[in-house]
Amino acid sequence: TDPAKIRNFCIIAHIDHGKSTLADRMLQVTGTVPDREMRAQYLDRMDIERERGITIKSQAVRMPWDVGGDSYALNMIDTPGHVDFSYEVSRSLAACEGAILLVDAAQGIEAQTLANLYLAMENDLEIIPVLNKIDLPAADPERVSREIADLIGGDPDDILKVSGKTGAGVEELLDRVVERIPAPVGNADAPARAMIFDSVYDSYRGVVTYVRMIDGRLTPREKIRMMSTGADHEALEIGVSSPEPVPSKGLSVGEVGYLITGVKDVRQSKVGDTITGKMNPAEEPLPGYTDPKPMVFSGLYPLDGSDYPILREALDKLKLSDAALQYEPETSVALGFGFRCGFLGLLHLEIISERLRREFDLDLIATAPSVIYEVTTDDGKEVTVTNPSEYPDGKIAAVREPVVKTAILAPKDYVGAIMELCQSRRGSLLGMEYLGERVELRYSMPLGEIVFDFFDHLKSRTQGYASLDYEPMGDQEADLVKVDILLQGDKVDAFSAIVHRDNAYHYGTMMAERLRKLIPRQQFEVPIQAAIGARVIARETIRAIRKDVLAKCYGGDISRKRKLLEKQKEGKKRMKMVGRVEVPQEAFIAALSGD
Ligand code: GTP
């Protein structure tokens, strides 16, 4: 295809603002999917994926569209909407020349709208603002148009109004994509350079790699090279999605398509990497490649210890389709055998634990999420800590923690409540802006504070109206300490936490109290202590038992007695020993989950 007749774009929107529904209408209006085959969320076929264990989700789809007698190829590239995947989002955006900024006409601009908009602007994309859901009675197109115009400039009357549901305005929108978004430019005669913007595992075909051709051309059967690793593969199949995969004779400048090489693991075909030809390789890779780096860590443990091998297999399997997932075996006194896992963020953690539960039928307990700390000991050693129990003993010279730039968007009535919360989480205000009835607050905040139930608190203080987004902004030194929880003098590893010195007492008393309520009495008195190093900062006591379980049954009937003994035996299986103290695993789990 002539690059002048190609338009590459994505849709950026806050969750639920109607991206999938609009994409469906575009597939239909352009005739890419015939009416009789159309179904809701055509591109979002996660349940089929799950049923058949394959990935057929389209990361990019090519649609024909005629304007003024000329035929164009529109490539719509899917972007993950969430901040956890901001690197993937930035690569998808880098594959486009323009973006449709889709805003729900009843809701207005939200935090993810802004975060994605800023990323799109950094990538120099042409932005087409669009109001969606104008069929809703609650839609307030005038107010939201003004909000958008305030944000990106331009005339509010110029903003297109569409409904993904009824299809109103969708044809005009496609015309505007052709008019406003620049055609791709690249050097057709240069050595091939294709940027990988997504890479998906399919159990039949192996990894399907989605690319945007920047320079040159790639053809099937050609030997290709991954520039970050230097690994060579053969391009077994090259094609375009429309939206079913259609093999083609090759991809040239400006085109978007897929490539299959037979590799079995997405980490051999990494998002952001540049593919070139082995025979005539490019000298320089495209800019912007980085390895996905986990930011949030948590221990995952099967509730039933015998599920450990299943958990290992499940993680091995998920890793094939998720280059960012990391894990290594870990054991815990309180929880038994499990894995320390690294995630891009909290949502990534939730997605993985949910998939382990649903697809592999595993019952899991996750330890409190932790971030990466860089600890310098007094004798100058540098230690990277992703698990509080690895925190070095002895004197510490300095600790650095990751910091994120946080953007919160909420109705302006909540400004006071939000500021109070952010200050209590060691945030410092970077800026504040009013967008009509709403306000955007920008803070720098330690990531460790955000992973610790920040979002729940934000939601409850704003009656659910606030939205949140964050991106990494380096690290900073902080006055942090490790608090250990001890049962009769023995550390319970899963409860160690790295917290700010000012919060250490609060954390210690809260955990000690929780455990006192949850751990059953023993034959002897059990002290529960919270300590920083050797210094105890809080203490609770579980008093000794007076009678044994059977005492109250003396003279009672024998079957009740047997039942009690059996119950006790069953309980035994799930008992964990901490030193001499016997603790039902349920007590640890309840203490970790906070209920
Ligand atoms: P995520 O994929 O979860 O981010 O959501 P999305 O942005 O893709 O939104 P989706 O298309 O799933 O739509 C969210 C909800 O809004 C669904 O219940 C849709 O039926 C509804 N919706 C989408 N577009 C319209 C519209 O134009 N009008 C009305 N009334 N409802 C719409």
Side-chain angles (χ1 to χ4, degrees):
T1 317
D2 175 6
K5 295 288 162 58
I6 299 176
R7 297 292 182 273
N8 297 319
F9 72 99
C10 56
I11 305 176
I12 55 185
H14 192 74
I15 186 161
D16 275 350
H17 281 200
K19 190 166 95 171
S20 312
T21 310
L22 178 63
D24 284 353
R25 276 305 80 64
M26 288 182 166
L27 292 178
Q28 209 169 11
V29 168
T30 56
T32 310
V33 177
D35 284 351
R36 72 195 136 75
E37 281 175 27
M38 199 61 214
R39 57 184 174 271
Q41 313 257 309
Y42 194 92
L43 298 173
D44 238 347
R45 288 177 288 180
M46 268 303 258
D47 24 323
I48 306 180
E49 262 180 73
R50 240 178 251 124
E51 272 167 35
R52 295 203 277 170
I54 57 170
T55 304
I56 48 175
K57 187 171 162 171
S58 246
Q59 311 309 112
V61 42
R62 181 175 171 131
M63 305 180 289
W65 191 244
D66 292 353
V67 178
D70 287 324
S71 304
Y72 291 84
L74 309 185
N75 292 310
M76 177 164 61
I77 291 169
D78 193 30
T79 55
H82 196 273
V83 289
D84 276 9
F85 307 102
S86 64
Y87 175 65
E88 274 81 353
V89 178
S90 80
R91 293 307 85 202
S92 307
L93 296 179
C96 304
E97 278 77 27
I100 293 174
L101 176 71
L102 191 69
V103 181
D104 184 322
Q107 303 290 327
I109 290 164
E110 303 269 8
Q112 278 164 34
T113 322
L114 287 180
N116 289 324
L117 172 65
Y118 296 149
L119 274 175
M121 287 161 62
E122 277 167 30
N123 279 283
D124 287 328
L125 301 196
E126 176 70 28
I127 310 285
I128 301 179
V130 177
L131 284 187
N132 191 26
K133 307 197 190 181
I134 46 155
D135 61 292
L136 281 179
D140 189 349
E142 274 187 33
R143 173 180 67 84
V144 180
S145 296
R146 254 181 288 117
E147 268 184 24
I148 298 176
D150 282 350
L151 186 68
I152 60 169
D155 182 353
D157 295 330
D158 202 28
I159 296 173
L160 283 179
K161 297 171 184 63
V162 310
S163 165
K165 190 168 174 186
T166 67
V170 174
E171 299 188 359
E172 289 85 337
L173 174 55
L174 291 165
D175 289 345
R176 193 165 286 195
V177 165
V178 171
E179 285 157 23
R180 293 274 173 92
I181 296 180
V185 281
N187 185 349
D189 302 322
R193 290 202 295 179
M195 189 202 55
I196 303 180
F197 62 86
D198 209 344
S199 154
V200 177
Y201 177 73
D202 176 315
S203 50
Y204 293 136
R205 315 204 296 164
V207 172
V208 181
T209 301
Y210 290 86
V211 296
R212 153 73 197 266
M213 285 308 296
I214 304 292
D215 296 320
R217 185 176 167 81
L218 288 176
T219 49
R221 294 282 146 198
E222 187 180 339
K223 292 267 194 258
I224 55 165
R225 174 166 296 168
M226 304 292 174
M227 291 189 80
S228 76
T229 56
D232 293 337
H233 301 288
E234 186 181 344
L236 299 175
E237 182 182 320
I238 289 182
V240 297
S241 316
S242 64
E244 309 303 332
V246 181
S248 77
K249 295 217 171 71
L251 292 174
S252 38
V253 170
E255 288 191 300
V256 169
Y258 70 88
L259 195 141
I260 293 169
T261 60
V263 304
K264 288 284 177 226
D265 180 340
V266 289
R267 280 170 310 166
Q268 290 169 271
S269 192
K270 297 184 207 170
V271 171
D273 201 356
T274 304
I275 298 180
T276 191
K278 186 189 170 193
M279 288 312 164
N280 181 19
E283 284 184 11
E284 290 283 329
L286 297 159
Y289 174 74
T290 50
D291 261 328
K293 255 209 325 266
M295 306 259 288
V296 173
F297 295 80
S298 170
L300 294 185
Y301 291 84
L303 280 190
D304 182 346
S306 64
D307 280 346
Y308 178 78
I310 304 177
L311 177 58
R312 174 195 297 276
E313 252 169 61
L315 286 168
D316 285 345
K317 214 162 181 183
L318 290 183
K319 186 180 66 180
L320 294 177
S321 59
D322 186 342
L325 175 65
Q326 287 187 359
Y327 55 91
E328 56 183 54
E330 165 178 276
T331 50
S332 149
V333 176
L335 303 168
F337 291 99
F339 289 91
R340 190 84 196 156
C341 303
F343 305 96
L344 295 171
L346 283 177
L347 183 78
H348 190 207
L349 187 162
E350 256 170 56
I351 290 172
I352 295 292
S353 5
E354 188 57 29
R355 291 189 67 182
L356 289 168
R357 282 188 186 104
R358 298 237 305 240
E359 293 169 34
F360 300 92
D361 206 19
L362 283 161
D363 281 326
L364 296 173
I365 174 83
T367 61
S370 164
V371 300
I372 299 183
Y373 297 98
E374 299 293 343
V375 182
T376 313
T377 60
D378 241 12
D379 47 16
K381 260 214 319 261
E382 304 267 350
V383 189
T384 301
V385 175
T386 58
N387 182 349
S389 67
E390 292 162 0
Y391 197 80
D393 291 324
K395 276 215 154 198
I396 302 297
V399 188
R400 300 188 70 81
E401 63 176 346
V403 187
V404 291
K405 189 157 94 191
T406 312
I408 297 166
L409 213 72
K412 56 188 179 190
D413 297 348
Y414 298 108
V415 167
I418 295 170
M419 288 185 132
E420 199 182 44
L421 174 66
C422 291
Q423 265 145 30
S424 76
R425 298 301 184 100
R426 297 190 284 133
S428 53
L429 188 63
L430 298 174
M432 186 163 141
E433 230 157 307
Y434 285 90
L435 296 161
E437 285 309 294
R438 267 147 353 125
V439 61
E440 184 199 11
L441 291 148
R442 287 187 304 277
Y443 275 88
S444 78
M445 219 183 300
L447 179 61
E449 297 283 349
I450 291 187
V451 302
F452 209 73
D453 68 7
F454 179 79
F455 195 53
D456 292 342
H457 281 271
L458 181 66
K459 282 280 177 196
S460 71
R461 284 190 190 209
T462 59
Q463 261 115 37
Y465 281 117
S467 51
L468 165 79
D469 212 1
Y470 57 82
E471 58 178 283
M473 57 182 286
D475 60 357
Q476 71 184 14
E477 201 168 302
D479 190 9
L480 301 173
V481 292
K482 182 178 72 152
V483 179
D484 290 315
I485 305 293
L486 299 94
L487 279 187
Q488 245 210 352
D490 285 305
K491 263 185 221 170
V492 193
D493 48 12
F495 294 92
S496 296
I498 296 168
V499 296
H500 192 260
R501 192 180 299 277
D502 294 345
N503 298 332
Y505 176 75
H506 173 74
Y507 178 81
T509 44
M510 175 190 74
M511 273 304 170
E513 197 178 42
R514 242 188 231 174
L515 286 170
R516 175 179 56 78
K517 289 185 184 146
L518 290 164
I519 296 176
R521 290 183 180 186
Q522 316 270 320
Q523 306 290 350
F524 43 89
E525 198 178 89
V526 179
I528 304 173
Q529 294 163 313
I532 300 173
R535 190 164 59 87
V536 173
I537 55 169
R539 183 191 158 110
E540 295 273 343
T541 308
I542 305 171
R543 281 184 296 132
I545 244 170
R546 287 205 206 92
K547 305 176 196 126
D548 69 326
V549 265
L550 299 178
K552 50 181 165 293
C553 299
Y554 278 143
D557 79 286
I558 187 75
S559 74
R560 181 167 145 72
K561 211 168 185 171
R562 193 174 302 133
K563 231 188 199 153
L564 271 172
L565 281 170
E566 240 152 55
K567 221 169 163 185
Q568 206 182 36
K569 207 166 81 196
E570 215 174 89
K572 272 262 162 40
K573 282 193 296 199
R574 293 269 175 93
M575 286 292 180
K576 300 284 170 187
M577 296 300 294
V578 179
R580 285 168 61 215
V581 187
E582 215 178 36
V583 185
Q585 195 177 358
E586 282 68 38
F588 284 136
I589 291 162
L592 274 176
S593 44
D595 41 52

